[in-house]
Amino acid sequence: MKIPLSEPDISEAEVEEVVSVLRSSRLSLGPKMEEFEASLCSYVDQPFGIAVSSGTTGLHLCIRALGIGPGDEVIVPSFTFIAAANAVLYEGATPVFVDIDPLSLNLDPDRVEKAISERTRAILVVHTFGIPAEMDAILELAERYCLKVIEDACEAIGATYHGRQVGSFGDAAVFAFYPNKQITTGEGGMVVTGDRNFAMQIRAMRNQGRYESDEWHQHSILGWNYRLSEINCALGCAQMRRIDDILSSRAAVARAYDEALSNVDGVERPPLQLAGREISWFVYVVRLAPRFSREDRDAVARMLIARGIGCGRYFAPIHSQPAYSHLPSVSLLTVTESVSSRTLALPFFNRLDKGRILQVAEALDEAVRSLER
Ligand SMILES: *Cc1c(COP(=O)(O)O)cnc(C)c1O
């Protein structure tokens, strides 16, 4: 790809941090993990942080530690990454898919309320594409119906809702550090929470079921190896030191796209701002106008790829994935269906310059025009 969809941004200082771990004798469960956990905690303003091997494993442990299992339902969006719903399935519980708001692309609180049953135990709310979800309404529902709230903040580190960091609202929250995320550790994730006992459970579960007071061959509960190595954590520590710069360069890329696409007919741009919320830019996802079909969108994607421009279908709804065909058919997810058939993620990363943004805009303009002929 001439212009890839995503590209990690690793500085020389970050390479040095990783190398210095390799020269040490501590490759797992060491000082870098503690430093990385502490830096996330202070950034999000939550007391407990537990580094894990991925965002997916972090979500799994949250479901597990909340005691959610067979017979229980968890409300999740279908318009998101599959890991959110998989975490529910891993524990034998049932994901209940709820439709989204067409502007923020996050769970629509009115529809969440309609989906609550006696079996509902939790709302897994995703801050999709780094746009903070409607937390006031979600928390109000959770309180009224005695539900737990897990924030999937894997796409949203640094986003704020009424001035507060996402990840600080729910009973627990999960961040992820895959290479296309705002901050990367190669692979990795972090659970944050304000609940000491919950944190202790998660800490034990990620480390083969050992509490911190247990010796190495004592396993008090069922656990997994979901640890994050010192090598990954060192990279995370260094990335966190420049998170403000990273987020502001991503916001600048989003603004440049907004301008470059403002005259492109048939392409709807994402909101640059929403009242009371600060977006943390994860991806830049446009939508073709409603007159276009899924086939049109796929044709545009093929034309861009043929010109060496990376792009992606963010997201193909979870409820229509083959892996989910065994679930009872879900209620109509009209907005999810309509949005997901027309979205297209454009190249988006820290160092994407204006010249290449203009090339993408031009190629997109030509591709959409060719549909109308
Ligand atoms: C990336 C992502 C995850 C999972 O993260 P991994 O680290 O890749 O396991 C979970 N939920 C959402 C919404 C994501 O975007």
Side-chain angles (χ1 to χ4, degrees), residues 122-133:
I123 304 172
L124 204 172
V125 61
V126 183
H127 304 291
T128 304
F129 301 155
I131 296 183

Side-chain angles (χ1 to χ4, degrees), residues 166-309:
V166 302
S168 65
F169 293 89
D171 295 281
V174 181
F175 293 94
F177 312 112
Y178 185 73
N180 71 338
K181 313 279 185 188
Q182 291 90 328
I183 295 291
T184 187
T185 58
E187 294 282 0
M190 184 86 66
V191 179
V192 300
T193 178
D195 182 329
R196 180 183 299 276
N197 184 50
F198 182 85
M200 192 175 80
Q201 300 299 322
I202 298 262
R203 221 174 265 288
M205 286 176 186
R206 89 165 157 194
N207 190 20
Q208 307 286 16
R210 300 174 183 109
Y211 290 113
E212 296 209 304
S213 53
D214 289 342
E215 40 162 295
W216 195 250
H217 283 115
Q218 180 168 336
H219 306 275
S220 300
I221 55 172
L222 179 62
W224 289 263
N225 174 1
Y226 283 173
R227 296 182 299 258
L228 189 62
S229 85
E230 288 290 285
I231 304 164
N232 303 91
C233 290
L235 181 52
C237 290
Q239 291 246 302
M240 281 305 289
R241 274 178 225 129
R242 62 188 182 99
I243 186 167
D244 293 341
D245 287 343
I246 290 174
L247 297 183
S248 63
S249 38
R250 295 175 86 87
V253 172
R255 285 194 301 272
Y257 262 125
D258 191 71
E259 197 185 321
L261 294 171
S262 60
N263 294 317
V264 176
D265 192 42
V267 172
E268 298 172 354
R269 292 163 289 154
L272 271 190
Q273 270 168 336
L274 286 169
R277 305 184 228 190
E278 193 162 338
I279 300 170
S280 167
W281 289 88
F282 165 52
V283 281
Y284 191 83
V285 177
V286 296
R287 257 182 272 179
L288 299 192
R291 65 180 180 276
F292 295 111
S293 66
R294 177 186 303 273
E295 291 68 33
D296 290 334
R297 189 274 312 273
D298 294 346
V300 169
R302 281 195 302 274
M303 285 184 258
L304 292 183
I305 288 165
R307 294 181 60 165
I309 296 172

Side-chain angles (χ1 to χ4, degrees), residues 32-47:
K32 286 294 161 189
M33 183 183 79
E34 285 176 18
E35 184 186 335
F36 187 39
E37 291 176 345
S39 85
L40 249 286
C41 284
S42 89
Y43 187 74
V44 179
D45 198 18
Q46 278 289 61

Side-chain angles (χ1 to χ4, degrees), residues 53-59 80-84 126-129 152-155 174-178 180-181 187-189 282 314-315:
S53 53
S54 69
T56 306
T57 57
L59 289 167
T80 188
F81 186 56
I82 195 151
V126 183
H127 304 291
T128 304
F129 301 155
D152 180 336
C154 292
E155 304 182 353
V174 181
F175 293 94
F177 312 112
Y178 185 73
N180 71 338
K181 313 279 185 188
E187 294 282 0
F282 165 52
Y314 279 58
F315 285 103

Side-chain angles (χ1 to χ4, degrees), residues 53-70:
S53 53
S54 69
T56 306
T57 57
L59 289 167
H60 177 203
L61 293 188
C62 286
I63 296 289
R64 176 83 188 177
L66 288 174
I68 293 170

